[in-house]
Amino acid sequence: MASSFSQSFYVLALFIILVSWSSRVTTSRKLVELEACSRERHEQWMMEHGKDYMDDAEKEKRYQIYRENVEFIESFNANNNETFKLGVNQFADKTFEEFKSSALNGNKKGSLDLLGTEIEKPFKYENVTEIPETMDWRQRGAVTPIKDQNVCGSCWAFATVAITESIHQITTGKLESLSEQELIDCVRGEKTSGCDGGYMEDAFKFILRKKGIASEAKYPYKGVDRTCNSTIEANTTASIKGYQMVPRNNETALLQAVANQPVGVYVEAGHRAFQFYSGGVFTGKCRTKTDHVVAIVGYGSTKEGIKYWIVKNSWGTNWGEKGYMRMKRDIISKKGLCGLAKKPLYPIA
C-alpha cells in the first residue's frame, strides 16, 4: 500500500514538474514572440517616420525607449476612461526630456506667460454678443495646412504666423503661407532667440517695425538658426496694424475673439499625454506653467455636450488629429486647460 502511494506521489510530482516546465517554455516562447513582434513594429515605425540611426548601439537605445513609450501608451488607453486617446507618433523613440527639449519652446526656462506688459487698448470684441455655436476657421478657408517645426524650438514663430495668415485671409480674401524662418532669423528680443524659443509679442513687434512679413515661398523654413537675410526680408506679403491681448483668464472673452479670428495661446504641453495625444477631447491633467505656443482656430462641442477648442499645433500631421488637438473648453479653472486662457494674443489688420 505504501509502495503504491509512493508511486502515485512520484507520478503526481513528475506531472507537476512537467506542467511547470511546459508552462515556463510556453511563457518563454510567448515572450520571445512578443519581443520579435515589438522589434518588427519598431522597424515598421522607423520606415514610416524616416528614422535612420548612426549605429546598432544607438538603434538599440532608441528601440528600448520606443518599447517603453508604447507600453505607456497601450496601458493608458486600456486603463483610462478619458475622452481622448494616445497613439504612437514621431516622438516614440524620444525620452520625455528629449521631447521637451526638442518639441517645446526651445531652452526657455520658466513660464512663457511672464513676458510682456498689459496692452493698453480696449478689447476689440468686448461688445460682441452674436457668437455662433460652433466655429471652424479651417472650413472658412482661413487656415493654412499643418506645418512642422521639427527639432527647432520655434513654436512661438509658428503660432504667430498661423494667426497672421488667418487675419490676412479674413481681411483680404487671400490665404498665403507666411515665413516662420524670417521670424527665427530676424526677431531678437529680451527673451526671444530663434530655435532657443521665443514669444509672440516680440514677433508681432518685428512685423510692425518691418511693416510686414515675407511669404514662405520667398523665405522658406530651414528649422535652424541663421543670419537674418535682409535681401529676402525686404519682401512683404502680409502686414498687420497691431496686436492685442484677450482679457486674461477669461474663456468667455476668448470665445468672443475666436468667433471673429484665430487666436494664439500659451499652453503647458510638457507632459506625456500631450506628447502622444492622438484624438478626442483632451482633458489631460496638466498645470498652467506654459511652455508651448499654439493657435486656436475654432471651437465646438461633441454629441455628448463636451465643449472644446480646436487647436492648430506645429508638430506635423502625424501628431494628434492630423496635426490638430481638441482641448476641453469652459473648465472650472479661469486659466483654462493647460493655462490656455492666461495670455491669448491676436493680430489686428
Side-chain angles (χ1 to χ4, degrees):
M1 184 73 179
S3 176
S4 177
F5 176 80
S6 297
Q7 287 180 339
S8 297
F9 180 80
Y10 173 78
V11 171
L12 178 60
L14 182 60
F15 175 76
I16 292 173
I17 291 170
L18 288 173
V19 168
S20 176
W21 176 81
S22 177
S23 177
R24 285 199 297 270
V25 169
T26 301
T27 300
S28 178
R29 185 183 299 118
K30 286 182 178 179
L31 289 173
V32 170
E33 290 172 352
L34 287 171
E35 177 68 9
C37 181
S38 177
R39 288 187 179 275
E40 184 178 347
R41 286 176 63 186
H42 181 237
E43 292 287 346
Q44 292 173 346
W45 175 87
M46 286 176 59
M47 291 179 61
E48 180 183 349
H49 295 281
K51 298 285 184 173
D52 186 19
Y53 304 120
M54 61 181 181
D55 54 35
D56 289 342
E58 178 66 14
K59 182 178 180 180
E60 181 62 23
K61 174 185 175 182
R62 292 298 154 190
Y63 166 69
Q64 295 300 333
I65 296 169
Y66 165 87
R67 186 174 67 171
E68 194 273 332
N69 281 330
V70 169
E71 288 174 357
F72 166 76
I73 291 165
E74 291 178 346
S75 175
F76 180 95
N77 290 339
N79 300 314
N80 283 277
N81 295 317
E82 300 285 359
T83 56
F84 67 99
K85 294 293 184 181
L86 307 186
V88 180
N89 58 29
Q90 70 268 36
F91 302 124
D93 68 342
K94 294 182 181 295
T95 66
F96 182 52
E97 291 303 319
E98 288 172 334
F99 159 74
K100 289 196 294 183
S101 66
S102 65
L104 302 184
N105 202 44
N107 296 319
K108 293 301 166 196
K109 307 298 182 184
S111 179
L112 297 186
D113 63 277
L114 298 178
L115 181 74
T117 57
E118 296 291 346
I119 301 168
E120 299 296 339
K121 292 179 181 178
F123 176 43
K124 181 178 179 180
Y125 302 114
E126 183 176 6
N127 297 319
V128 169
T129 55
E130 293 186 13
I131 299 176
E133 266 191 45
T134 63
M135 173 60 69
D136 190 339
W137 287 105
R138 297 172 298 181
Q139 295 178 358
R140 296 186 175 223
V143 181
T144 58
I146 288 291
K147 302 179 183 181
D148 192 344
Q149 68 188 71
N150 294 313
V151 293
C152 171
S154 52
C155 58
W156 61 275
F158 279 84
T160 302
V161 162
I163 57 179
T164 302
E165 290 168 340
S166 292
I167 195 61
H168 178 67
Q169 192 281 331
I170 291 168
T171 55
T172 69
K174 298 177 181 178
L175 181 64
E176 304 194 56
S177 183
L178 303 177
S179 176
E180 293 84 10
Q181 191 66 46
E182 180 178 24
L183 300 182
I184 293 167
D185 291 349
C186 305
V187 177
R188 291 296 180 269
E190 180 185 354
K191 298 286 186 179
T192 296
S193 183
C195 288
D196 281 340
Y199 298 83
M200 290 186 287
E201 293 93 320
D202 286 335
F204 283 135
K205 289 173 184 176
F206 168 80
I207 296 171
L208 287 169
R209 282 197 307 269
K210 184 199 162 183
K211 297 182 180 179
I213 182 172
S215 68
E216 177 77 18
K218 290 287 186 180
Y219 207 139
Y221 188 66
K222 302 298 181 182
V224 294
D225 289 315
R226 305 187 311 170
T227 302
C228 183
N229 189 324
S230 57
T231 302
I232 300 177
E233 188 199 341
N235 288 278
T236 295
T237 297
S239 60
I240 60 174
K241 294 178 180 177
Y243 68 100
Q244 192 174 40
M245 186 190 305
V246 176
R248 287 177 181 269
N249 304 325
N250 188 332
E251 285 197 85
T252 299
L254 182 56
L255 186 70
Q256 290 173 303
V258 178
N260 289 275
Q261 67 179 95
V263 174
V265 295
Y266 295 97
V267 297
E268 184 189 77
H271 42 94
R272 295 179 83 186
F274 211 107
Q275 177 182 359
F276 295 116
Y277 166 81
S278 66
V281 179
F282 184 77
T283 56
K285 296 176 176 61
C286 49
R287 298 179 296 173
T288 60
K289 193 172 183 179
T290 55
D291 52 16
H292 189 50
V293 197
V294 294
I296 295 180
V297 297
Y299 57 84
S301 59
T302 66
K303 294 178 180 179
E304 296 75 28
I306 303 172
K307 297 179 180 179
Y308 59 80
W309 298 108
I310 303 170
V311 173
K312 182 183 185 184
N313 202 354
S314 51
W315 293 345
T317 56
N318 288 318
W319 178 87
E321 296 179 330
K322 296 183 178 180
Y324 291 90
M325 170 185 265
R326 285 179 290 162
M327 297 182 71
K328 190 173 182 180
R329 176 164 59 97
D330 288 351
I331 68 169
I332 295 175
S333 171
K334 291 183 178 180
K335 295 177 181 179
L337 185 62
C338 302
L340 62 80
K342 289 179 71 174
K343 194 179 182 182
L345 294 170
Y346 60 92
I348 299 170

